Amino acid sequence: MASSHSSSPVPLSNSSDAFFKKEMDVTKCFRPVQSLPDVCPKEPTGDHNNLCDSPSLVADQHRWTIYHSKVNLPAALNDPRLGKRESDFFTKTWGVDFVDTEVTPSFYLPQITKEHFALYQQEITPREKVHERCKNICTPKDTFDRTLLHTHDKSRKDLEQVPKIFMKPDFALEDSLTFNAVLPWSHFSTAGGKGTRDVASSKLLQEKLSHYLDIVEVNIAHQISLRSEAFFHAMTSQHELQDYLRKTSQAVKLLREKISKIDQVMCEGSLRVLRLSLTRNNCIKAYNKLKLMATVHQTQPTVQLLLSTSEFVGALDLIATTQEVLQQELQGIHSFRHLGSQLCELEKLIDKMMIAEFSTYARNDLNRPLEDDCQILEEERLVSLVFGLLKQRKLNFYEIYGDEMIITAKNIIKQCVVNTVSQIEEIDTEVVVKLADHMRMMNFPQWFDLLENIFSKFTIFLKRIKATLNTIHSVVFLVLDKNQKNRDLEDTLQKNSAKDSMVDTEVAYLTHESMFISDAFGEGDLPPGVPDTTSQRNASPNSEPYSSDSVSEPEGTTDSSSSKEQMSSSVTSGGLEMISDDMKLTDLELVRLANNIQELLYNASDICHDRSVKFLMARAKDGFLEKLNSNEFVALSRLMEGFILDTEQICGRKSMSLRGALQSQANRFVNRFHEERKTKLSLLLDNERWKQAEVPAEFQDLVNSVSDGRIYLPEKKPTAAEERKPTEFLIVEGQKYATVGTVLLLIRIILEYCQCVDNIPSVTTDMLTRLSDLLKYFNSRSCQLVLGAGALQVVGLKTITTKNLALSSRCLQLIVHYIPTIRAHFEARLQPKQFSMLRHFDHITKDYHDHIAEISAKLVAIMDSLFDKLLSKYEVKAPVPSACFRNICKQMAKMHEAIYDLLPEEQTQMLFLRINASYKLHLKRQLVHLNVVNDGGPLNGLVTSDVAFYTGNLQALKGLNNLDLNMAEIWEQKR
């Protein structure tokens, strides 16, 4: 839809610069270049005088106008040069009269013409020429972008004026809502006739819609013009492409003519030569095929010859190679139709022969005399057998060796028992038939020697098994390594296949119907990377598997196996020769087989341990092992521990059966060991009279051996012990300890427990529990006998004296002194997860300290009862000192005399300070009862004299001269 001249969207005064500039550019930059015909050469501006000519595409190619569009369809349909705008649907529907008359120009606005801009054009024309010249010389790169950006922004702003309803994809005037939104009926509200207001509204609406249409047309033309340059470029390139194709077609035609001439002149003769060469090669192949048939015919005699020398690998390789040749090279030959099945039967026979041969080898290897010799029996024979079994996928051959191990282990024990019994004259083999009965008739030294002999035989037995299994293990890993190398080689060939493909392309041109390359090229003219297949085919009939010399090499190898160096290297150098490429074993199978072989070595260790356990249990049926003394059981334990460690070192894994049996016997030994010593301690305590005992030199040496932190029982020296006299006290790290005989023996028993832990490490935890039980028993039993006065009935003591109490306290202190050393000894031999068991020593230490505190409290209580008895009768009167205070001082002196030699000076002072506190408490209570105060009176003087007598006597005692008695507290009144 186009608007009238008066409603043009282009203002006269603001936008006329662009049209003037456009007209100037056309006259100045005119080029005789044919351009597309412009459908709309005139631009509607509302004024017929301002119509300008169409711009040039060459001059204005970087400026966008609506004339850049190839076909301006809206402009063609809305030609502004028409007299009437019939595209308006108002005029189509309601007639021509609907269009308003032209509005007369305003009398207040002047008429602007070109002459008004003449002065401006004269000033700007020189500058514009300079600007155009500079722009042609060096065109700014971003001019076009800026122009596009400016134009795009301007178009975007113009499009924003158009209501959004026109942009909707579902815009349709048939919709009543859409129609009402575009043409609101409020402008046509009068029912009859046209009012002035309605006419103005309809005119305004028409101008608005025309303005929207012009904006859309300008933007559509702008978008179309953006593609004009690419269209002209494509048209220009089309002509050049046609010229290139025509020239190429002529060149190809000429090249084909030359190639046809070259083919006639140079190739036909060469191809004739190649055909003759092909005929010659076919004859050679037929000859070689006959030779190959003659060689295959000799396969069975050759296999029989190889089997006679136990060359199973060579025979199997020959059979496999022959089978491959029959399937590939000689397939379909009638004379060999039964040879394949015959070779299969022969291969099954070889499998049975190899299994029987391996069983014989295992029996001979394990039943050799058990001397100190761990050499492998016929190593080369073993390697050949293993390779053959692997080649035939007989992966369970190790089970045969395992069965032979069990039988041999039984025979070893039986033979050792027979040899030992035959050397003992006391055993009559005619009367006693069973070997178990023979063994039970031996004493401990004889049985111990027999067990040591069995362990030594088993050690050699395991070393031989390990050497043999290591050889088998090495063979398996050789095959595994060969598989890995084959995979690496295949990967390398695949990487080089890309390079060889270029050579294969050139070679394929020279071959025709299986023609060989070596005949087409000279001797040295083969391309790099192309194998000489002719030489390979010619050499194939003379290869080792088919020649008569193939048997001599294994024979020579067998004859040369006398030297040890060649035997030791047969697993590596000779073994690699035995590995064939058709040994199709996966890595998983080989690894599983290697693990089974390693497990077989572990089983060998378990077998030896199990047989040893049965031998041990057979001797222990009559309680023989439980009757062993400590030295004998320690020797047995060390022997078994040594054998267990040897087997672990040989086989690399712990076997628990023999260790479990040793642990079981050790537990029984520990129980008996503990019960014996606990019974002994109980008897000692029941007969103890709690008097100070003399310390023999033997026990002093025993204590001295522990002083450096190491616990061990020193060897007895009877001569030195007789020369040294017993001492009154036990000296421990410079301190004197008065003890009873039971405690001296208890210390020795404790050291025996610690020594047993060193000799039998497996019983450390049990010994710790038993020792803690023993210490608790001593503490509780001594408490019952002394503090509980149980010794009065058990031993027959008349009374429990303060000397008995002090001696008991000192004995307990001696045991407490050694508990940290004992704890450290056990801690060094326990596992970290077993450290929680050390809490038993903490509990024991606490119990002992509580016991010592109870004894001290008992001593104070004795004096406390005495003070209560004497001071309750105290009267403040002459003479001074009073009889009460004389009696108290006498009892204090007796107490001091009883405990001073038994307890250290510090403990004596602390004890008497507690006794003095009790004395002051009772005295103060009596003074309060007698109403005696510190007033300086006569009564006060008498009490002061008695107290001074008490203080003097107490401080006169040995070791108490510096004791602070603080007797002034008796006069302090309670507040």
Side-chain angles (χ1 to χ4, degrees), residues 713-958:
L713 292 174
E715 297 180 358
K716 295 183 179 180
K717 298 179 181 179
T719 304
E722 290 177 359
E723 293 177 356
R724 299 169 56 187
K725 295 181 179 181
T727 58
E728 187 176 1
F729 297 96
L730 184 67
I731 310 300
V732 179
E733 296 182 359
Q735 293 188 13
K736 293 181 179 181
Y737 284 89
T739 63
V740 296
T742 302
V743 174
L744 293 176
L745 294 175
L746 177 60
I747 292 175
R748 183 174 183 84
I749 290 173
I750 292 173
L751 297 184
E752 288 177 353
Y753 274 82
C754 296
Q755 187 68 32
C756 186
V757 169
D758 290 338
N759 295 331
I760 312 174
S762 60
V763 299
T764 302
T765 55
D766 290 339
M767 278 296 181
L768 189 151
T769 306
R770 301 300 195 281
L771 180 57
S772 61
D773 179 66
L774 185 71
L775 293 175
K776 290 178 181 178
Y777 176 76
F778 172 77
N779 184 43
S780 61
R781 187 60 178 158
S782 62
C783 181
Q784 294 172 2
L785 292 173
V786 181
L787 279 177
L792 300 179
Q793 292 80 19
V794 176
V795 185
L797 295 178
K798 295 180 180 180
T799 183
I800 302 297
T801 64
T802 55
K803 192 168 187 177
N804 298 138
L805 293 171
L807 187 60
S808 175
S809 175
R810 195 58 174 162
C811 291
L812 293 173
Q813 293 175 22
L814 178 61
I815 301 301
V816 170
H817 175 78
Y818 280 108
I819 287 179
T821 305
I822 299 170
R823 176 193 174 103
H825 181 81
F826 277 90
E827 184 176 3
R829 288 152 183 82
L830 287 176
Q831 299 294 329
K833 61 182 180 181
Q834 299 172 339
F835 284 168
S836 60
M837 298 185 66
L838 298 174
R839 68 181 184 276
H840 294 299
F841 291 112
D842 299 332
H843 298 161
I844 293 171
T845 303
K846 181 179 180 301
D847 294 341
Y848 272 66
H849 281 302
D850 293 342
H851 191 181
I852 295 170
E854 290 177 5
I855 293 175
S856 299
K858 184 64 176 178
L859 292 173
V860 175
I862 292 173
M863 296 304 297
D864 184 78
S865 63
L866 179 64
F867 294 148
D868 184 50
K869 179 180 178 181
L870 295 175
L871 290 176
S872 62
K873 301 177 182 180
Y874 172 62
E875 296 179 358
V876 183
K877 63 181 180 178
V880 178
S882 63
C884 178
F885 272 78
R886 286 194 185 98
N887 197 3
I888 289 174
C889 291
K890 182 180 178 180
Q891 295 299 327
M892 296 283 280
K894 287 183 179 180
M895 170 70 74
H896 180 269
E897 182 182 359
I899 68 174
Y900 182 76
D901 292 335
L902 301 178
L903 297 179
E905 185 175 344
E906 297 81 5
Q907 294 184 20
T908 304
Q909 292 177 358
M910 293 299 298
L911 181 62
F912 272 89
L913 282 175
R914 294 176 62 186
I915 294 173
N916 181 63
S918 176
Y919 162 76
K920 290 188 292 183
L921 181 62
H922 286 283
L923 179 59
K924 183 177 179 180
R925 186 183 303 160
Q926 185 64 19
L927 292 176
V928 172
H929 177 70
L930 297 175
N931 198 19
V932 178
V933 295
N934 189 12
D935 56 356
L939 295 178
N940 178 260
L942 292 174
V943 173
T944 303
S945 298
D946 285 338
V947 171
F949 174 76
Y950 165 80
T951 303
N953 276 275
L954 188 59
Q955 291 182 346
L957 297 177
K958 189 177 181 179

Side-chain angles (χ1 to χ4, degrees), residues 600-668:
L600 186 61
L601 180 60
Y602 300 152
N603 293 339
S605 175
D606 294 339
I607 291 169
C608 294
H609 282 235
D610 292 341
R611 302 311 304 179
S612 300
V613 169
K614 290 184 178 180
F615 176 80
L616 196 66
M617 293 297 104
R619 189 66 182 92
K621 281 185 178 180
D622 54 353
F624 172 77
L625 298 179
E626 297 179 3
K627 299 176 183 178
L628 300 179
N629 57 34
S630 299
N631 294 330
E632 290 174 346
F633 189 83
V634 167
L636 176 62
S637 176
R638 288 179 176 176
L639 177 63
M640 296 175 68
E641 286 287 348
F643 176 68
I644 291 172
L645 292 177
D646 290 340
T647 55
E648 288 179 4
Q649 185 178 4
I650 294 172
C651 301
R653 192 179 71 173
K654 295 182 179 179
S655 296
M656 303 307 298
S657 57
L658 185 58
R659 191 182 296 274
L662 175 60
Q663 186 65 38
S664 176
Q665 294 298 325
N667 292 337
R668 296 178 183 177

Side-chain angles (χ1 to χ4, degrees), residues 59 148 219 291 454 461 543 545 596 612 634 655-656 659 683 759 941 968:
L148 288 179
N219 279 277
K291 289 179 63 178
I454 291 174
F461 176 66
S543 59
N596 291 334
S612 300
V634 167
S655 296
M656 303 307 298
R659 191 182 296 274
L683 293 174
N759 295 331

